[in-house]
């Protein structure tokens, strides 16, 4: 485990744009075998950094030794969903990535704790949300360990920009292995998620209904 004093979770800035783009591209390939268009991804990332109302990236910085420079080892993105039922907003956790070398070291646990503590400190936030692929039992255990519980909602989407990955196109959405409107992965084929360390290095989130 990384010593707490060696890890810092902070809001990302435009100076982090290149590494955020690199992390998100790596996450998309690792989780869905998508090769994203880097110029579009970079523009989309910059659009968040330029307009805080769209969301907020956070990065995890690590200093391996007292005299060493800090290096970025992880990221996540918070986006916002208004709930009329609660007169407050949910924070959606998405675009999570931890570099392979630092997985299972408590990086995600630290990022998650930072976000939840910040959300709880604000009167205009009513909770945090994310989604997990349907049959990834290991990831579900990770999220439960950091205090999340399952929701009764399912997710449906119509993506106008990104087509389904090649491995998804020939399968029916009603066939085995599909859940929440998208093909699910078996735990053995998903990126490494450590139960005990709660180091979930990947999550993708889409907004659900506003309730």
């Amino acid at each position: 485990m990384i010593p707490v004093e060696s890890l810092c979770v902070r809001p990302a800035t435009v100076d982090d744009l290149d590494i955020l783009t690199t992390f998100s591209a790596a996450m998309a390939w690792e989780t869905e075998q998508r090769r994203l268009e880097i110029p579009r991804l970079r523009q989309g990332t910059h659009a968040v950094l330029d307009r805080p109302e769209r969301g907020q990236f956070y990065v995890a910085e690590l200093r391996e030794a007292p005299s060493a420079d800090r290096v970025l080892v992880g990221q996540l993105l918070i986006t916002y969903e208004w709930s009329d039922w609660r007169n407050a907003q949910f924070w959606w956790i998405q675009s999570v990535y931890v570099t392979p070398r630092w997985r299972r070291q408590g990086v995600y646990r630290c990022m998650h704790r930072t976000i939840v503590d910040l959300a709880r400190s604000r009167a205009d936030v009513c909770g945090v949300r994310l989604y997990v692929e349907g049959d990834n039992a290991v990831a579900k255990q990770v999220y439960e360990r950091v205090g999340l519980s399952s929701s009764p909602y399912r997710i449906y989407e119509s993506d106008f920009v990104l087509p389904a990955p090649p491995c998804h196109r020939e399968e029916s959405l009603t066939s085995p292995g599909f859940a929440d409107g998208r093909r699910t992965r078996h735990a053995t084929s998903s990126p490494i998620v450590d139960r005990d360390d709660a180091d979930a290095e990947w999550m993708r989130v889409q907004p659900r209904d506003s309730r």
Side-chain angles (χ1 to χ4, degrees):
M1 294 287 288
I2 298 172
V4 174
E5 63 273 14
S6 300
L7 196 63
C8 171
V9 178
R10 63 165 176 81
T13 71
V14 70
D15 292 336
D16 304 311
L17 177 59
D18 289 341
I19 192 66
L20 292 173
T21 303
T22 298
F23 282 177
S24 292
M27 180 269 296
W29 175 251
E30 185 173 355
T31 60
E32 298 192 22
Q33 289 72 58
R34 289 183 184 266
R35 294 194 184 278
L36 299 181
E37 297 177 15
I38 298 303
R40 181 193 292 271
L41 175 59
R42 195 175 193 277
Q43 291 171 358
T45 304
H46 187 272
V48 175
L49 297 171
D50 189 51
R51 298 277 297 276
E53 67 271 19
R54 290 174 171 159
Q56 175 67 63
F57 277 98
Y58 287 83
V59 293
E61 283 187 327
L62 175 67
R63 177 171 287 159
E64 295 186 64
S67 59
D69 292 334
R70 287 191 176 274
V71 295
L72 298 189
V73 298
Q75 72 168 34
L76 60 76
L77 169 64
I78 299 300
T79 57
Y80 314 116
E81 174 194 10
W82 183 256
S83 171
D84 55 339
W85 287 11
R86 301 165 181 83
N87 191 32
Q89 63 185 3
F90 278 100
W91 281 5
W92 279 89
I93 300 173
Q94 64 185 71
S95 296
V96 176
Y97 185 76
V98 175
T99 55
R101 178 185 174 189
W102 296 107
R103 294 175 186 173
R104 294 177 289 175
Q105 300 290 320
V107 175
Y108 177 68
R109 181 189 292 274
C110 186
M111 289 195 293
H112 185 90
R113 183 167 54 244
T114 298
I115 295 306
V116 171
D117 287 348
L118 182 59
R120 286 185 177 280
S121 72
R122 297 182 45 151
D124 62 338
V125 180
C126 57
V128 297
R129 283 176 167 171
L130 56 84
Y131 77 61
V132 58
E133 291 178 292
D135 62 351
N136 193 324
V138 174
K140 291 176 181 178
Q141 290 178 12
V142 168
Y143 306 145
E144 290 170 0
R145 283 178 180 269
V146 295
L148 299 175
S149 57
S150 62
S151 163
Y153 298 109
R154 287 177 175 255
I155 297 171
Y156 294 82
E157 68 176 24
S158 180
D159 193 328
F160 300 152
V161 177
L162 295 180
C167 62
H168 296 189
R169 291 173 186 161
E170 297 180 359
E171 300 188 49
S172 165
L173 288 178
T174 59
S175 68
F178 277 80
D180 298 344
R182 55 188 302 117
R183 185 176 182 274
T184 61
R185 301 176 188 276
H186 296 288
T188 54
S189 65
S190 298
I192 297 170
V193 179
D194 187 89
R195 298 183 178 86
D196 299 323
D197 200 34
D199 199 7
E201 65 273 15
W202 64 272
M203 284 179 254
R204 287 188 69 250
V205 174
Q206 296 280 350
R208 292 192 265 200
D209 73 69
S210 62
R211 299 178 183 180

